[in-house]
Structures are given as structure tokens and as C-alpha cells.
Amino acid sequence: MALALASCSSHRITTFGGRAPDTRVPAPANQSAAPASINLQQLIVPPGRFGRHIEFPLHATYITIHSTDNRNVGAWTHARGMAMGNFRARTKWNRTGYMTWHFTVDDQVAVQSLPLNIQGEHADHDGPGNRTSIGIEICEFRDPRRQAAAIDRAARLTAWLMRDQGIALDHVVPHYHWPQWHFHGNQKNCPRILLEHGRPGPRWDAFLQRIDSYR
């Protein structure tokens, strides 16, 4: 059965079905093994296809946090859609023609979709957000316990990435941080599950504090 999806980056609904290619691979050379508490799995977008038919090198100095804007849809479903090329871009400024990000996190697992040395298309089209940051999408759930667990897993993942990639806490930012210059400088309400009235506030501060405790 096809599922309807849209990430906070895609701005549209995309439908897909079928099986994703088997692209589980060992961790790329530029990252260490993640702690077991993160439960990091991989379904890497195939090299040379879909969102990787064009690649731009990444030396990450930021981590950008998103939320998926899809209720009760897990990390594996998003990762499979990305690996199958189902998240096509809506705007002409997307450099690859596909929405891509590095990790999707839910209450059970974190799934990696891109190596950390390749830019994703998740933040601001051809802007500094994509050029400098690792993209993490947090799945959204109606059950507050599942939502809390997904946010906690995202905090653990972020803390590990900070240590592994040498990224400072003040360079962990919401999608909101990157103005959409092609859309009059609009700052997106994302991750909406961690913002107040579309802006960083107490929930975002609490998320950073949790990351810092795990770091």
C-alpha cells in the first residue's frame, strides 16, 4: 500500500510504495561507530542515483534539526522513500532535484541515509545550511511517550555527532535558523515539535540542555 509523506523540507505530499534497494553498508570512513543507545542503522541512498546523482562535498560545522511534519510515520519509512528517489524537489533551486538529509530518528531507531561527507538538500536550497550542516529529521507522533522517546534519541544522536565531527553546541540549530532567501528570507517553523509559535524558546533550550548532558 502506498503511503503519503512530506518532510518539513519537501513542502509537498509525495506518494510511494514497493521495496527499497538493499543499501545497508558499513559506516563511512569519516565517522566512528555510534553508541548502542542510539540504535543507528543505515539505508544509504545509492551512489550515482536519485539524490546522489550529483554530489557536493560536506565538511560539516553545523547540525540542523528538523521534524518530519508527518504524524505516526517512522524512520524506516522515510529512509526507504529517500533511497527509492520518491522525495522529488518542488523548487528549481534544489541542486539535485531530490530532498535528502542524513538521519531520520523515531522512538526505536535512527536511520542514516547519506554519508557525512556529502551535502544533503534539507535546509535552504543552495544556501549555507545545506553547504555546512548535517540534517536530522525527527519523526512526529501523536503519542507523547513516543514523541518524547524520539526527541531523546535525536539528542543522543546529536551529542555523538558533535563529538565525532567536532561540532560545537552553539552550532546545533533548528531549520528555522536558515533564512529561505528564495522566499523573501522566510524562516521555517521547523522543527515545529521543538519551537514555540514558530520560534526557538523553552522547548528548544531544553533540547539543547539534553544534548549537552549526553555530550
Side-chain angles (χ1 to χ4, degrees), residues 22-93:
D22 184 3
T23 54
R24 292 179 179 85
V25 297
N30 70 326
Q31 72 183 64
S32 64
S37 60
I38 295 172
N39 190 20
L40 179 61
Q41 307 291 321
Q42 292 183 317
L43 187 59
I44 302 296
V45 176
R49 300 186 66 193
F50 310 129
R52 293 183 65 188
H53 74 101
I54 301 171
E55 293 184 353
F56 301 92
L58 173 65
H59 175 70
T61 55
Y62 283 84
I63 298 171
T64 300
I65 307 297
H66 307 259
S67 62
T68 60
D69 204 14
N70 298 303
R71 292 293 175 91
N72 295 333
V73 180
W76 278 116
T77 301
H78 287 92
R80 290 187 186 104
M82 204 184 326
M84 294 169 66
N86 289 300
F87 298 137
R88 290 189 176 272
R90 184 179 180 181
T91 72
K92 64 183 180 181
W93 299 288

Side-chain angles (χ1 to χ4, degrees), residues 151 155 194 201-213:
I151 291 170
L194 292 174
R203 284 190 292 184
W204 179 255
D205 292 341
F207 181 66
L208 292 181
Q209 290 170 11
R210 180 167 297 199
I211 293 168
D212 199 34
S213 72

Side-chain angles (χ1 to χ4, degrees), residues 133-161:
S133 75
I134 296 166
I136 298 175
E137 290 269 3
I138 306 174
C139 294
E140 298 187 18
F141 297 103
R142 293 186 178 90
D143 183 338
R145 293 169 298 181
R146 295 189 70 188
Q147 189 66 82
I151 291 170
D152 182 75
R153 191 176 305 276
R156 292 174 185 270
L157 172 64
T158 303
W160 166 65
L161 288 168

Side-chain angles (χ1 to χ4, degrees), residues 5-14 68-69 88-91 99 122-125 175 180 183 186 188-190:
L5 291 182
S7 80
C8 82
S9 306
S10 68
H11 307 289
R12 70 170 184 171
I13 298 294
T14 305
T68 60
D69 204 14
R88 290 189 176 272
R90 184 179 180 181
T91 72
M99 298 309 308
H122 58 90
D124 55 356
H125 302 94
H175 188 181
Q180 310 296 304
F183 295 93
N186 175 62
K188 191 166 178 63
N189 178 18
C190 179

